[in-house]
Amino acid sequence: MTAATDPRPSALARLWRYGRPYRRRVGWATVHSVLNKLFDLAPPLLIGLAVDVVANDGDALLDRLGMTTQRSQIVGIAVLTFVVWAFESLFEFLHNLAWRNLAQDLQHDLRIDAYGHVQELEHAWFQERSTGDLMAVLNDDVNQLERFLDIGANEIIQVLTTVVAVGAVFVILDPTVAVLAIAPMPLILYGSFWFQRKLEPRYEAVRGQAGFLNGQLANNLLGISTVKSFTAEARETERIAGESDRYRETNRRAIALSSAFTPLIRMAILVGFTGTMVWGGFEAIRSVTDDSGSLSVGQYSVLLFLSQRLLWPLTQLGETFDQYQRAMASTNRILDVVDTEPRIVSGPDRLDLAKGQGRVTFEDVTFSYDDAGPALDDVRIDLPAGRTTAIVGPTGSGKSTLVRLLLRFYDPDAGRVTIEGRDVRDLDLGDLRRLTGLVSQDVYLFHGTVRENIAYGRPDASLEDVVAAATVAEVHEFVMGLPRGYDTIVGERGQKLSGGQRQRISIARAVLKDPVILLLDEATSAVDNETEAAIQRSLDRISTDRTTLVIAHRLSTVRNADVIHVLDGGRIVEQGTHDELVGREGPYAALWAVQTGEAVRHER
């Protein structure tokens, strides 16, 4: 999308609004930059003054200040030069300190705000964004903005200061020379804005491709076991090489345009500089020969020095605008995330339940993911408080969707989900999720110690509480066999542990959280029979007197449930106890026969 059709405000305007708390600091940093540049421009004036003192047998103004000899005037100019350079150095230190600290603080807050906001967004939003692209936004894009604020902002302010200050000196010394020196400025500014407009969409494309490439890399690294098991290393390297080449080509289109900026601007600058040199030189010669010129030799020296100070820094605008456009493209990507409105927001009602409470009801719930067919179709299920309810059915029947709706990862398209008769959409999200404990098939352990992972829901829990939870989950004996016990690092995603060990730690995590409502989503589907038996014993203990929802594919794990609902095609097709359902010879009985092998024996 080009800048001409983009409905968003400019990236700079968006950043200015976001950075409201930093505006005073921006002001002080700007003051330091301006003062640094003004003191930096003073030495050419002093050089010109020194030239005039030598060439004209002294300066009248310095005479009036009490420096009546050429020697005293030169010494006075030298002292003033020392003072000017000292202040220039001081303000250079101050503006570097101000801009760099501002860049660090702003990028820190922006990254944390963006990350914090991402955590508040609904699950559906994450399905549309790759993890790698989000990582690029939270890391690379934020760093692009930091780099511009470190250097580029100060350079732009100092260029503007130079134009105003030097232009004023030129007008005072000789308006004609001022016109010659400033004549290229409109062309330079027009060229700068033209390049800016052309570069903006190109750098938007660069940042977008960088995010996509980052996503592909992250995806492959997370799936490295699959890549290796299918000996797909060469194929994946080729695929990444293709994406990297597209990133390179996207960058080349931006580089081709940005690289042309400085040479073209340099030629425009040359016109102004040579005009100043020739016209000013003629005026200085006339002053020396017949005293009819408008410029003294010293003033001519000042104009030449200041012409360089005025015009040559403009050649750096190409690099500065390059930094600026990269930073603004990144700013739009960051603020697009920050400005995304969550579609699932916390309700106003608080909820505090005791163990043994927590009746859950799915009332005529219909739900579909995007434009796909309904995952749930007019489903009505009652989970009595303090009892265990199981949901079984074939893959894709909508079982896990029930858990996602109860936790408000999604909201139903029709119907409602209630806890103790209160719609979960009206409840405070923090209360809702504190009351529930989830043990899923896809266990995620964070890079840290065993203790930290078990205590994730209660980070202030004592070691004794962690050990007690681990004992209930039948994981304590295994943990004590690790090199450092509960202080053993589990590795990224818990890769140093087996699947069964990770599953038991996730159960211990739920035990320590002590939820009113326990959600078990295929908690034993990926483990061996011995581990399943151990996990099942743990689950039987922790589900006592809790409202428990068990989602299972293995029917052996739900035989003792108080009631079992069979879900097929998004609809409840039958319900009852295990014995009742087996006796009906319906869908449940057919699944039971397949899993126990009775159907095979019958065929034989």
Side-chain angles (χ1 to χ4, degrees):
M1 182 177 291
T2 64
T5 60
D6 195 335
R8 300 171 300 185
S10 71
L12 186 60
R14 299 177 74 190
L15 183 62
W16 183 247
R17 283 202 302 268
Y18 174 84
R20 184 182 299 274
Y22 297 94
R23 290 181 184 178
R24 178 171 293 184
R25 293 176 61 183
V26 170
W28 276 112
T30 300
V31 168
H32 294 149
S33 294
V34 170
L35 290 174
N36 168 251
K37 179 50 64 176
L38 291 177
F39 280 107
D40 180 57
L41 293 173
L45 299 175
L46 297 175
I47 291 172
L49 184 59
V51 171
D52 274 343
V53 167
V54 174
N56 300 326
D57 196 24
D59 181 83
L61 176 60
L62 295 178
D63 277 337
R64 289 194 294 270
L65 293 176
M67 291 174 278
T68 56
T69 66
Q70 285 179 294
R71 292 178 184 275
S72 65
Q73 289 180 2
I74 290 295
V75 171
I77 292 171
V79 171
L80 186 57
T81 300
F82 182 87
V83 172
V84 165
W85 279 61
F87 274 104
E88 190 273 335
S89 298
L90 171 64
F91 285 110
E92 181 177 6
F93 166 74
L94 291 176
H95 83 62
N96 278 331
L97 195 67
W99 283 114
R100 291 181 179 182
N101 282 332
L102 175 64
Q104 291 299 314
D105 291 344
L106 182 59
Q107 65 93 14
H108 168 77
D109 289 346
L110 193 54
R111 179 181 287 117
I112 297 305
D113 284 350
Y115 174 71
H117 187 72
V118 163
Q119 292 188 113
E120 300 299 322
L121 295 175
E122 64 281 354
H123 270 54
W125 186 84
F126 289 91
Q127 293 178 342
E128 301 167 3
R129 299 288 296 264
S130 74
T131 301
D133 186 46
L134 282 176
M135 289 297 295
V137 171
L138 296 173
N139 191 37
D140 294 345
D141 287 319
V142 172
N143 290 341
Q144 286 282 356
L145 178 59
E146 177 205 352
R147 283 191 285 270
F148 171 71
L149 290 176
D150 265 347
I151 301 172
N154 171 69
E155 289 182 348
I156 290 175
I157 290 168
Q158 293 206 335
V159 166
L160 293 175
T161 303
T162 301
V163 170
V164 173
V166 174
V169 172
F170 275 26
V171 170
I172 292 171
L173 293 180
D174 192 315
T176 303
V177 175
V179 170
L180 290 172
I182 298 174
M185 293 295 294
L187 178 61
I188 293 170
L189 293 176
Y190 173 79
S192 299
F193 287 117
W194 185 87
F195 271 93
Q196 177 185 337
R197 288 195 300 271
K198 294 296 183 181
L199 280 170
E200 183 176 359
R202 298 194 184 194
Y203 278 126
E204 289 272 9
V206 168
R207 297 313 307 154
Q209 182 62 27
F212 184 78
L213 175 60
N214 207 40
Q216 295 299 304
L217 289 168
N219 192 55
N220 279 21
L221 291 175
L222 289 173
I224 192 65
S225 297
T226 303
V227 173
K228 286 181 175 295
S229 66
F230 284 90
T231 61
E233 293 92 339
R235 186 168 72 249
E236 290 302 329
T237 299
E238 183 179 354
R239 189 162 67 90
I240 293 299
E243 295 301 336
S244 182
D245 188 60
R246 275 186 280 277
Y247 173 68
R248 179 173 59 179
E249 289 302 317
T250 306
N251 244 320
R252 278 178 176 169
R253 288 192 288 272
I255 291 170
L257 187 60
S258 65
S259 298
F261 178 84
T262 297
L264 293 175
I265 296 303
R266 191 185 298 273
M267 296 310 297
I269 289 170
L270 184 61
V271 173
F273 181 72
T274 54
T276 302
M277 177 182 290
V278 173
W279 184 273
F282 288 169
E283 290 297 309
I285 291 171
R286 288 170 57 196
S287 294
V288 172
T289 56
D290 58 14
D291 203 29
S292 63
S294 60
L295 291 174
S296 67
V297 175
Q299 290 171 332
Y300 177 58
S301 301
V302 170
L303 289 180
L304 286 182
F305 278 119
L306 289 183
S307 293
Q308 285 191 317
R309 291 295 186 92
L310 171 65
L311 297 174
W312 291 114
L314 297 177
T315 62
Q316 301 300 316
L317 279 179
E319 182 178 346
T320 303
F321 271 123
D322 192 72
Q323 286 183 343
Y324 173 79
Q325 285 303 335
R326 288 178 183 270
M328 292 304 102
S330 293
T331 296
N332 271 330
R333 281 166 52 83
I334 300 163
L335 293 180
D336 282 347
V337 171
V338 173
D339 293 341
T340 300
E341 292 291 337
R343 284 178 282 183
I344 292 180
V345 296
S346 185
D349 297 344
R350 304 304 303 267
L351 184 64
D352 185 19
L353 300 177
K355 190 175 178 181
Q357 296 180 301
R359 177 185 179 185
V360 176
T361 306
F362 293 85
E363 300 179 2
D364 307 319
V365 170
T366 297
F367 175 78
S368 61
Y369 296 97
D370 298 325
D371 297 326
L376 296 174
D377 186 9
D378 198 29
V379 169
R380 184 174 184 86
I381 301 174
D382 183 60
L383 283 66
R387 307 288 290 278
T388 297
T389 302
I391 309 292
V392 301
T395 300
S397 59
K399 301 186 298 295
S400 295
T401 301
L402 294 169
V403 173
R404 295 168 188 159
L405 292 177
L406 176 56
L407 289 170
R408 283 204 73 201
F409 292 166
Y410 300 87
D411 281 336
D413 300 327
R416 64 178 193 153
V417 182
T418 67
I419 297 178
E420 295 292 344
R422 302 169 69 175
D423 195 323
V424 295
R425 287 172 290 198
D426 296 329
L427 300 178
D428 178 86
L429 276 176
D431 287 351
L432 171 64
R433 292 168 184 170
R434 274 191 295 271
L435 289 170
T436 54
L438 173 65
V439 179
S440 67
Q441 175 184 357
D442 299 321
V443 177
Y444 192 95
L445 299 185
F446 295 90
H447 182 73
T449 65
V450 173
R451 177 180 178 178
E452 289 169 340
N453 274 280
I454 293 176
Y456 190 72
R458 280 182 53 196
D460 59 342
S462 66
L463 178 60
E464 290 74 16
D465 290 337
V466 170
V467 171
T471 301
V472 172
E474 297 194 17
V475 74
H476 176 69
E477 184 177 346
F478 146 71
V479 172
M480 294 310 295
L482 295 173
R484 299 185 61 191
Y486 284 90
D487 292 324
T488 300
I489 300 294
V490 302
E492 186 178 15
R493 299 176 65 88
Q495 291 180 352
K496 294 183 179 181
L497 307 178
S498 70
Q501 290 166 344
R502 291 197 297 270
Q503 191 65 271
R504 294 195 205 187
I505 288 177
S506 74
I507 293 172
R509 181 190 290 170
V511 171
L512 187 61
K513 186 180 181 183
D514 194 24
V516 172
I517 301 170
L518 182 63
L519 307 174
L520 307 173
D521 187 3
E522 301 280 13
T524 63
S525 62
V527 297
D528 56 59
N529 291 334
E530 182 180 351
T531 302
E532 179 190 1
I535 290 175
Q536 193 59 50
R537 290 193 299 270
S538 302
L539 296 179
D540 288 343
R541 285 193 291 269
I542 66 174
S543 62
T544 303
D545 295 328
R546 295 182 204 274
T547 304
T548 304
L549 174 61
V550 182
I551 305 294
H553 184 71
R554 290 185 181 180
L555 302 187
S556 57
T557 63
V558 300
R559 292 186 62 178
N560 298 324
D562 295 300
V563 62
I564 302 171
H565 298 267
V566 181
L567 196 61
D568 192 3
R571 301 182 69 91
I572 299 295
V573 294
E574 61 179 345
Q575 63 187 36
T577 65
H578 170 79
D579 291 338
E580 290 171 348
L581 292 173
V582 169
R584 292 176 190 169
E585 299 185 357
Y588 183 89
L591 288 172
W592 178 255
V594 169
Q595 293 191 17
T596 57
E598 292 180 6
V600 176
R601 289 194 296 271
H602 178 71
E603 289 177 2
R604 289 178 179 175

